[in-house]
Amino acid sequence: MENNSRREFIKNASMLTGFTIVSNTVLGKKFGHIAPSDKLNIAGIGVGGIGRRNLNNMKTENIVALCDVDWKYASKTFNDYPKAQRFKDWRKMFDEIGKSIDAVCVATPDHTHAGVTAHAITLGKHTYTQKPLTHNVYESRLLTKLAKQYGVATQMGNQGNSFDWCREIAEWIQSDAIGEVYEVHCWTNRPIWPQGLMKPKEGMPIPKDLDWNLFLGPAEYREYNSVYTPWNWRGWYDFGTGALGDMACHIMDPIYWALNLKYPTKVNGSSTLSNLYSPPHAEIVKYTFPARPKAGKVKMPEVDVYWYDGGLLPDRPKELAPGMMMGDPDGGIIFVGKKGKIMTGCYGMNATLLPVENMKDFKKPSPWIPRVKGGNGDIWKTDAHEQDWIRAAKESKDNRTETSSNFQFSGPFNEMVVMGVLAVRLQALNRELLWDGENMRFTNINPNDEIKVVSVDEFNVIDGHPRFNRQSITLNAAQAAQDWINKPYKNGFSLPPMPK
């Protein structure tokens, strides 16, 4: 599978010159083209949280359907679009009004991204899917291949990808501003939700507006508890991917782009106490990527990329002036090259050479990567990312300029992100894990290897004395890794077959 969407995006940029406005009666939707003057019919699936913001950035189009398992949580969005038809089950929505839907916006919990998105693609629907694109590696590969097979316009919801910062960083590095990059450090202030949790011992009454079975979807059944939803599902392995899955798709995006990365060859994870159910409070993941072909003026040697979350930070660069913050309050990136360093804030914002004084004599390279309209404003006050997807969806598949975070790029990128989650879950193997990206497997986990994973962690004070109750279960490591790479679907949910 070629990760060439960046090159195709740049090569095809000249196609963005003037459109001829014609009616659907001439170039109908069935021919894969919608005149720019016409509107897409968009369905929102998962509309109570970030999906509401996404739809607001798509309101230039017709929002014809809204689907959410929790109608109380979704009520504000329902009020935004009173004429849109409402559903709880996306399968029923496609059965009943699928023919009138051109495109879907998917912003459900992580564990249901792939199922909704994959089936939408097979129905020929353009798809915008929130980050992380999928819950596991196999699902990312599936969406990458399905999107290519069906030729629909796709976009992962890592909105920083449409902004100028990513492009500037790539231009600086590929113009040899700091020499060959051999090490990168990136970090986030997340999680800002509870993690490191134990599975509740008791259930609660299911709220009347929530369809709990539909929320669970393909996940293993458990009783409802308010610790799972809304929003805090991110802190549970069965539903979310923790701080790494939530923020790496934003913060590692400029790294993945600028260094032309694809699959790592090695990965190593460590963390605070890790348990069976919930991502740890804090973790470090080290990825090693092999050498790649030269990009621009600079060679691309083997590079180590370090991820930190939960308040952990890399060592402070000696070039950074005392009192100056690394990155910004939300996170940041430090690229280490043979001739110098680049530091950015979260999303790759506000890039600077280190020491900062070097910026005085630094001549920025002339921009050569095409910019997205609106990509130089406030990331929270623009619709640039969603509108670029809408633009692509209205172009015929044979003459489309793809979005820069289309699934041919964001699929392999997301594979790398969620594979890091596995490294943390498998850390009890006490080894650097070797990764075969093409075949989606670790090559140095033996059939009889076992890992112990904490399943109970309790603490009480009785008569002034501490009482600890920590228990573990033993898992076959090879089977656990396979299940986490390609988690089996339950409750009647399934995925389309993997294209050859």
Side-chain angles (χ1 to χ4, degrees):
M1 180 174 57
E2 293 293 329
N3 184 15
N4 61 3
S5 63
R6 283 284 180 257
R7 293 188 292 274
E8 290 299 312
F9 175 69
I10 295 167
K11 183 180 75 174
N12 294 333
S14 60
M15 293 177 169
L16 284 172
T17 56
F19 292 103
T20 300
I21 309 301
V22 293
S23 168
N24 277 340
T25 59
V26 179
L27 286 175
K29 294 181 182 180
K30 67 179 181 179
F31 293 105
H33 180 93
I34 300 173
S37 57
D38 291 335
K39 295 185 177 183
L40 295 173
N41 290 336
I42 296 177
I45 307 171
V47 300
I50 191 66
R52 188 183 185 207
R53 179 187 294 164
N54 294 143
L55 289 175
N56 184 62
N57 289 340
M58 299 174 185
K59 64 185 179 183
T60 54
E61 312 306 301
N62 298 322
I63 309 302
V64 298
L66 301 170
C67 181
D68 202 290
V69 301
D70 187 343
W71 279 21
K72 180 180 180 181
Y73 192 49
S75 61
K76 291 181 180 179
T77 313
F78 288 164
N79 292 335
D80 293 339
Y81 310 99
K83 295 182 180 179
Q85 295 190 59
R86 302 175 186 179
F87 298 87
K88 285 192 173 181
D89 190 333
W90 55 270
R91 298 168 298 181
K92 182 177 180 181
M93 182 188 74
F94 283 139
D95 285 343
E96 293 187 6
I97 64 166
K99 291 182 179 180
S100 64
I101 295 170
D102 301 314
V104 298
C105 171
V106 181
T108 61
D110 299 352
H111 73 298
T112 52
H113 282 186
V116 180
T117 302
H119 287 289
I121 290 173
T122 64
L123 294 173
K125 311 305 179 188
H126 306 293
T127 55
Y128 179 103
T129 302
Q130 259 303 330
K131 54 78 195 171
L133 185 63
T134 68
H135 198 225
N136 62 53
V137 170
Y138 177 88
E139 292 171 341
S140 293
R141 184 70 57 88
L142 175 65
L143 296 192
T144 302
K145 290 193 171 187
L146 286 174
K148 185 173 184 179
Q149 177 180 352
Y150 285 89
V152 295
T154 57
Q155 179 90 299
M156 180 168 73
N158 55 333
Q159 68 269 27
N161 185 274
S162 286
F163 283 74
D164 292 358
W165 316 310
C166 278
R167 292 156 175 77
E168 287 183 355
I169 292 168
E171 290 164 349
W172 289 17
I173 287 175
Q174 295 178 17
S175 296
D176 201 24
I178 61 170
E180 299 173 17
V181 175
Y182 61 89
E183 185 175 294
V184 187
H185 300 267
C186 56
W187 64 96
T188 177
N189 67 336
R190 307 293 175 97
I192 54 175
W193 53 83
Q195 288 191 183
L197 304 169
M198 284 290 111
K199 186 176 181 180
K201 294 180 179 180
E202 297 179 354
M204 294 179 176
I206 300 172
K208 64 181 180 64
D209 293 315
L210 171 67
D211 190 317
W212 177 239
N213 287 328
L214 288 178
F215 172 86
L216 290 174
E220 184 175 342
Y221 184 81
R222 84 284 318 280
E223 291 184 309
Y224 166 79
N225 192 291
S226 61
V227 299
Y228 295 129
T229 186
W231 195 70
N232 45 331
W233 46 263
R234 294 188 184 280
W236 299 96
Y237 277 131
D238 276 355
F239 308 131
T241 48
L244 177 56
D246 180 56
M247 288 304 293
C249 290
H250 291 308
I251 297 174
M252 296 185 80
D253 185 15
I255 305 168
Y256 202 77
W257 187 346
L259 300 182
N260 283 347
L261 302 178
K262 193 177 181 184
Y263 305 134
T265 54
K266 295 182 286 188
V267 65
N268 190 36
S270 63
S271 72
T272 53
L273 182 67
S274 179
N275 72 56
L276 186 63
Y277 311 108
S278 179
H281 295 297
E283 60 193 354
I284 300 174
V285 178
K286 176 188 176 185
Y287 300 90
T288 299
F289 293 87
R292 289 89 56 219
K294 184 177 181 181
K297 297 180 180 179
V298 70
K299 293 180 180 179
M300 293 283 164
E302 180 180 87
V303 60
D304 291 327
V305 178
Y306 295 83
W307 169 266
Y308 311 79
D309 64 42
L312 300 178
L313 295 171
D315 290 340
R316 185 177 177 84
K318 65 181 186 300
E319 299 89 348
L320 197 60
M324 184 176 181
M325 174 179 284
M326 285 199 305
D328 61 34
D330 295 321
I333 308 169
I334 296 174
F335 294 88
V336 182
K338 288 188 175 180
K339 298 193 307 183
K341 297 176 182 177
I342 294 172
M343 183 179 74
T344 84
C346 191
Y347 296 91
M349 291 192 236
N350 303 316
T352 181
L353 298 176
L354 291 181
V356 175
E357 291 74 21
N358 288 356
M359 292 298 294
K360 294 178 182 178
D361 300 319
F362 177 52
K363 184 178 180 181
K364 295 182 181 181
S366 298
W368 57 269
I369 301 175
R371 270 43 174 177
V372 171
K373 182 180 179 181
N376 58 352
D378 185 330
I379 192 171
W380 304 116
K381 296 181 180 179
T382 179
D383 59 5
H385 198 54
E386 292 90 346
Q387 286 296 316
D388 195 49
W389 169 68
I390 288 169
R391 184 270 311 156
K394 291 183 178 182
E395 297 174 9
S396 66
K397 66 179 181 180
D398 294 329
N399 295 293
R400 176 184 299 135
T401 299
E402 300 288 359
T403 64
S404 54
S405 195
N406 74 84
F407 291 178
Q408 303 313 303
F409 169 80
S410 56
F413 174 28
N414 199 80
E415 285 189 35
M416 178 270 293
V417 170
V418 295
M419 190 270 281
V421 177
L422 302 188
V424 172
R425 301 192 76 176
L426 293 165
Q427 64 183 286
L429 283 167
N430 299 311
R431 70 190 66 156
E432 188 171 52
L433 295 172
L434 305 181
W435 180 245
D436 176 358
E438 292 293 340
N439 294 300
M440 299 181 287
R441 66 187 185 97
F442 294 107
T443 60
N444 63 334
I445 299 179
N446 301 314
N448 296 323
D449 282 340
E450 294 181 336
I451 53 173
K452 288 188 175 181
V453 185
V454 172
S455 57
V456 176
D457 187 35
E458 298 175 338
F459 169 77
N460 291 289
V461 176
I462 300 174
D463 294 330
H465 299 283
R467 296 291 184 268
F468 301 92
N469 178 22
R470 181 172 293 172
Q471 302 174 29
S472 299
I473 64 170
T474 300
L475 302 176
N476 177 274
Q479 185 60 55
Q482 182 55 40
D483 287 345
W484 295 336
I485 290 168
N486 181 13
K487 193 171 182 65
Y489 272 43
K490 300 179 182 298
N491 308 320
F493 286 83
S494 63
L495 291 169
M498 179 76 76
K500 295 182 179 179

